[in-house]
Amino acid sequence: MSTDPTPRPHATAEEVAAARHDRKLANVLYHDWEAASYDDKWSISYDERCITYAADRFRHAVDDHGGDDRWPYGRALELGCGTGFFLLNLMQAGLTARGSVTDLSPGMVAAALRNAENLGLDVDGRVADAEQIPYDDATFDVVVGHAVLHHIPDLDRAFREVLRVLKPGGRFVFAGEPTRLGDRYARLLGGLTWKATTAVTRLPALRGWRRPQTELDESSRAAALEAVVDVHTFDPAELEALARAAGAADVRVVTEELTAAMLGWPVRTFEAAVPPDKLGFGWAMFAYRSWLRLSWLDEHVLARVVPRAWFYNALITGTRPA
Ligand SMILES: C[S@@+](CC[C@H](N)C(=O)[O-])C[C@H]1O[C@@H](n2cnc3c(N)ncnc32)[C@H](O)[C@@H]1O
């Protein structure tokens, strides 16, 4: 596979049709397509808000609320880095001083390297498949990923590769993976929100709230690819078993976000269905503060009484046996 991080142009309708039968090609097309607007779409930033969010995910996974685990780690690798959201923010939080970002999508690797350069971080990048990591055995002290496992067809192979490139005793942390049940209610609520918003904005009085048809068509093409790039959803116990079978030790899956996800998915879908200039700073603050309140409720109340499989996000950690 090429290691040249040159982005591809937008996908054509023919490429989209071909990618329906090839999950990896679909991932490259879809994420190359998304790379330029990805940070805006997912409200990704490289300031205190996302630094805290990324560090909290890592610590939640390793159950390290005191914050001392083994920070700072030595060399770190990210799989499926996207624009660099997870590792670059973890580096800013002090996880490590030296990072390597990898992704199947050249457009994403280029975006992550640009972000790293703007932040003044020591990061190198390669276009790489997580099932075939282009680094030597025992290179890294920590391997991380966010929202990537559910895109990888052969997870057994990917976990074996992670363990191979980790030093003995090294740790992996993957966060932001959809649970089986969480994915069902998120898709249902998102789908209903999309239908309701696009129907209501056909009314003459609400025409100004309707996105141009070309943009709605592009969203539909993106949704068709999205259905191909999302390969897995996870039952927490099955995910633990998968990592153990690949040879990992100290494996643990925790989950988070129940009511926060039930709010978050309709909000994100609504934001995608209307013109961006209709929703100002007030809306963004309302959505963010509501999400924070519901996340608190999920973490401090519901996590004590609701089974872990019901929450939307799964986080997994484990180590390479020493
Ligand atoms: C949902 S995005 C998440 C990006 C980023 N980690 C984040 O949280 O913002 C998933 C990323 O995984 C990448 N990806 C998909 N399949 C992959 C594979 N087999 N190997 C490496 N990366 C992959 C995609 O190209 C995409 O950039």
Side-chain angles (χ1 to χ4, degrees):
M1 175 155 304
S2 155
T3 54
D4 169 19
T6 308
R8 291 168 54 93
H10 283 188
T12 62
E14 290 72 36
E15 282 179 311
V16 171
R20 288 213 170 100
H21 307 288
D22 181 341
R23 289 187 187 282
K24 288 193 180 164
L25 174 61
N27 258 294
V28 173
L29 292 178
Y30 180 75
H31 290 105
D32 271 1
W33 194 357
E34 294 260 298
S37 56
Y38 198 78
D39 283 349
D40 283 344
K41 176 177 173 185
W42 295 99
S43 304
I44 290 173
S45 60
Y46 298 89
D47 56 12
E48 210 45 51
R49 179 175 62 86
C50 282
I51 294 172
T52 305
Y53 181 82
D56 284 353
R57 303 288 69 67
F58 190 99
R59 292 191 166 122
H60 187 45
V62 303
D63 195 20
D64 172 36
H65 295 287
D68 48 10
D69 185 44
R70 273 185 280 158
W71 294 42
Y73 281 81
R75 205 166 158 193
L77 168 71
E78 177 164 25
L79 303 180
C81 61
T83 53
F85 155 70
F86 201 39
L87 184 58
L88 302 189
N89 279 314
L90 284 171
M91 288 177 77
Q92 293 196 92
L95 176 83
T96 174
R98 188 169 172 213
S100 300
V101 289
T102 60
D103 198 292
L104 203 53
S105 148
M108 287 297 196
V109 175
L113 289 176
R114 252 193 328 269
N115 283 334
E117 193 180 345
N118 290 339
L119 295 166
L121 296 171
D122 180 6
V123 173
D124 62 89
R126 292 190 191 176
V127 176
D129 185 344
E131 292 175 13
Q132 220 175 333
I133 303 174
Y135 288 94
D136 291 339
D137 297 2
T139 301
F140 297 99
D141 300 274
V142 62
V143 175
V144 299
H146 185 268
V148 59
L149 293 182
H150 66 281
H151 293 301
I152 302 172
D154 190 341
L155 279 173
D156 178 61
R157 207 167 150 197
F159 273 118
R160 286 179 197 279
E161 279 291 274
V162 167
L163 295 171
R164 180 183 66 74
V165 298
L166 273 175
K167 294 177 185 166
R171 179 180 288 288
F172 63 82
V173 171
F174 292 97
E177 299 299 337
T179 62
R180 199 158 291 155
L181 206 58
D183 185 65
R184 276 194 209 136
Y185 58 71
R187 280 185 195 275
L188 179 71
L189 294 171
L192 290 174
T193 307
W194 181 265
K195 276 194 191 132
T197 310
T198 49
V200 165
T201 52
R202 280 183 198 281
L203 296 173
L206 292 174
R207 278 273 157 77
W209 283 77
R210 190 169 176 80
R211 288 186 90 128
Q213 195 56 42
T214 47
E215 289 179 21
L216 291 175
D217 289 346
E218 183 161 307
S219 293
S220 300
R221 273 198 290 154
L225 272 186
E226 209 171 68
V228 185
V229 301
D230 291 342
V231 184
H232 307 280
T233 55
F234 298 104
D235 170 79
E238 285 174 21
L239 182 56
E240 280 169 349
L242 191 84
R244 282 197 193 104
D250 313 315
V251 177
R252 172 173 179 267
V253 169
V254 291
T255 59
E256 59 186 8
E257 289 200 29
L258 177 60
T259 61
M262 289 179 175
L263 170 85
W265 283 99
V267 162
R268 272 193 284 272
T269 308
F270 175 67
E271 288 169 351
V274 301
D277 58 339
K278 288 287 175 193
L279 305 170
F281 184 69
W283 165 267
M285 278 296 106
F286 157 76
Y288 179 55
R289 291 207 178 110
S290 307
W291 177 84
L292 278 182
R293 285 193 193 106
L294 292 178
S295 295
W296 186 93
L297 175 74
D298 293 341
E299 184 184 343
H300 296 281
V301 183
L302 298 180
R304 294 168 205 268
V305 288
V306 176
R308 65 177 175 164
W310 292 21
F311 288 74
Y312 178 79
N313 267 326
L315 303 83
I316 181 167
T317 190
T319 59
R320 174 173 170 178

